[in-house]
Amino acid sequence: MRFFIWMVIFIISFISFPIHGHAAPDVSAQQAVLIEQSSGRVLFEKNADEQASIASITKVMTAIIAIESGKMNEKVTVSRNAIYTEGSSIYLEQGEEMSLTDLVYGLMLRSGNDAAVAIAEHVGGSEEGFVYLMNEKAKWLGMKNTHFDNPHGLDSETHYSSAHDMAILMQYAMENPIFQEISGSKRYISENRSYYWQNKNKLLTIFYEYCTGGKTGYTKQTGRTLLTTAEKDGMKLIAVTLDAPDDWQDHMSMFEWGFEQFEMKEVDQNGEVVTDKKNLSEDTITLPLYKHENDTWAKEVYLKGEGLSCQASNTVLNQQDGNEKDRYMDDVAYVFHSILRWDTND
């Protein structure tokens, strides 16, 4: 009886005075990751390096290659092969001419598989040629658990990535102002159409005020995939979920957790947080660190010889079971650029 009373008291105390700390967000996804955009620091992960099908978030790679091709103002003649691509569509017609810019908007906002093939054929010379470019780009970015078979994301045994790899890709893509504009557009009208394309990313259009962009994905075999970005109080985050029945909520939970736990702090070249704003100099940079607790991540990175310049390297942190480890993206430079309704393969 006495044991029972003590248990009741313990439960009441636990409910009345919840434990605060780094408790990770609960997500429905099989694979998930949350990173800070400027540094690439991994704030939360769940099976983030596990290879899996990714569906239409594939199109982020298709979009960034198209944008970097320098052909965005060119007219693309739509092939028979493109219009007969299965899955989601922007309803192109054979022989229709549409600007590459319009096709990329149709690709990102409406997830057009026909647009993906039309883009691939124009930029890469053929669909196969474009897929080669996709895989070369993935290697260059350090996406070690990724292989592309197509530009749209329809299921294939050898078309896969990981949540972390897709976050790396989005981190790179979001440095491009054209990609930022397209990814963050709620609607768009092509000069070839009399109606607007509405963005399928409901986190951007309806659910989450801090969302700045992203890409949806779905096939029956793969399940729901989602890649989104958000910004609040000067901090930019990237979230990826694969096979997530409740992906909208997953992303909002991860973002809110990240914004609550972390903030951007000025750090000197010794990895020390600069508390006196008078000491700010060109040698200090801003990094995501825990708000209310001692966070030695920046110092550990510095001591390992990586330095702290985000323009020199992207260093990421993998948190597993409360133990912090440093993970490095090999040969990834900070690059400056010149410049929902769910359908099949959404």
Side-chain angles (χ1 to χ4, degrees):
M1 184 63 180
R2 179 175 297 177
F3 174 79
F4 176 76
I5 293 172
W6 277 109
M7 283 298 295
V8 170
I9 293 173
F10 173 78
I11 293 171
I12 293 174
S13 299
F14 182 81
I15 295 173
S16 302
F17 304 100
I19 297 173
H20 296 280
H22 307 163
D26 185 26
V27 297
S28 69
Q30 293 301 306
Q31 297 90 25
V33 74
L34 177 72
I35 73 169
E36 190 275 321
Q37 183 175 312
S38 66
S39 66
R41 181 179 184 178
V42 175
L43 309 181
F44 164 78
E45 69 91 26
K46 176 183 178 182
N47 303 321
D49 291 315
E50 189 175 287
Q51 295 176 358
S53 296
I54 56 173
S56 276
I57 60 174
T58 295
K59 291 166 181 160
V60 170
M61 178 64 89
T62 303
I64 193 60
I65 291 177
I67 291 167
E68 291 181 338
S69 72
K71 300 180 179 182
M72 289 292 277
N73 293 325
E74 293 184 7
K75 291 289 185 178
V76 177
T77 302
V78 179
S79 71
R80 177 182 175 85
N81 183 45
I83 67 169
Y84 281 103
T85 307
E86 65 178 283
S88 54
S89 174
I90 59 170
Y91 307 106
L92 296 170
E93 296 181 1
Q94 185 174 349
E96 179 180 4
E97 292 188 349
M98 181 176 285
S99 72
L100 187 61
T101 294
D102 286 359
L103 287 172
V104 175
Y105 270 98
L107 175 85
M108 289 294 292
L109 272 63
R110 297 306 301 166
S111 206
N113 290 349
D114 50 355
V117 174
I119 290 167
E121 292 176 340
H122 186 79
V123 174
S126 66
E127 191 172 349
E128 294 75 18
F130 189 83
V131 170
Y132 174 81
L133 296 178
M134 295 173 74
N135 284 310
E136 288 300 299
K137 191 74 168 184
K139 291 176 185 177
W140 184 80
L141 287 171
M143 298 170 66
K144 297 179 179 180
N145 292 297
T146 298
H147 184 268
F148 296 110
D149 279 348
N150 59 63
H152 38 64
L154 287 171
D155 292 322
S156 169
E157 289 185 3
T158 50
H159 186 98
Y160 55 82
S161 188
S162 68
H164 187 216
D165 276 6
M166 293 306 294
I168 292 171
L169 173 60
M170 194 63 164
Q171 180 189 19
Y172 172 83
M174 286 297 287
E175 293 299 328
N176 187 300
I178 297 176
F179 181 89
Q180 287 179 33
E181 175 67 24
I182 295 172
S183 178
S185 295
K186 295 183 178 181
R187 65 177 189 167
Y188 179 80
I189 187 167
S190 164
E191 61 183 19
N192 290 39
R193 298 291 185 268
S194 60
Y195 54 88
Y196 282 92
W197 288 325
Q198 304 293 331
N199 199 323
K200 291 185 177 184
N201 179 7
K202 292 184 179 181
L203 213 68
L204 175 70
T205 60
I206 300 174
F207 295 143
Y208 195 61
E209 64 177 312
Y210 302 112
C211 183
T212 57
K215 183 71 191 75
T216 61
Y218 172 80
T219 68
K220 185 175 181 180
Q221 177 178 318
T222 297
R224 297 168 70 117
T225 63
L226 186 62
L227 195 167
T228 62
T229 57
E231 181 176 1
K232 182 180 180 183
D233 297 332
M235 183 161 62
K236 299 177 181 180
L237 301 181
I238 297 170
V240 185
T241 51
L242 306 180
D243 191 9
D246 196 11
D247 52 4
W248 303 127
Q249 185 59 51
D250 286 352
H251 282 236
M252 288 188 286
S253 295
M254 285 193 291
F255 284 140
E256 286 300 295
W257 179 84
F259 290 133
E260 178 184 347
Q261 296 289 340
F262 294 85
E263 67 180 346
M264 304 303 290
K265 296 183 180 182
E266 294 290 337
V267 177
D268 64 25
Q269 290 203 341
N270 293 317
E272 299 286 352
V273 176
V274 179
T275 56
D276 186 352
K277 298 301 180 182
K278 295 180 181 179
N279 294 330
L280 293 180
S281 69
E282 293 181 356
D283 294 330
T284 61
I285 65 168
T286 308
L287 293 174
L289 300 174
Y290 281 112
K291 282 185 178 181
H292 306 297
E293 299 182 28
N294 183 41
D295 190 339
T296 61
W297 175 71
K299 192 169 186 178
E300 289 170 359
V301 171
Y302 176 81
L303 291 175
K304 286 181 179 293
E306 287 298 301
L308 290 175
S309 174
C310 290
Q311 294 180 0
S313 66
N314 286 315
T315 305
V316 296
L317 176 73
N318 179 27
Q319 296 177 334
Q320 294 177 333
D321 299 326
N323 297 317
E324 297 186 345
K325 301 177 182 178
D326 293 323
R327 185 198 292 142
Y328 304 104
M329 295 191 305
D330 297 334
D331 303 321
V332 181
Y334 183 93
V335 178
F336 292 98
H337 304 288
S338 60
I339 31 173
L340 199 205
R341 197 182 75 78
W342 290 87
D343 296 326
T344 301
N345 190 237
D346 185 12

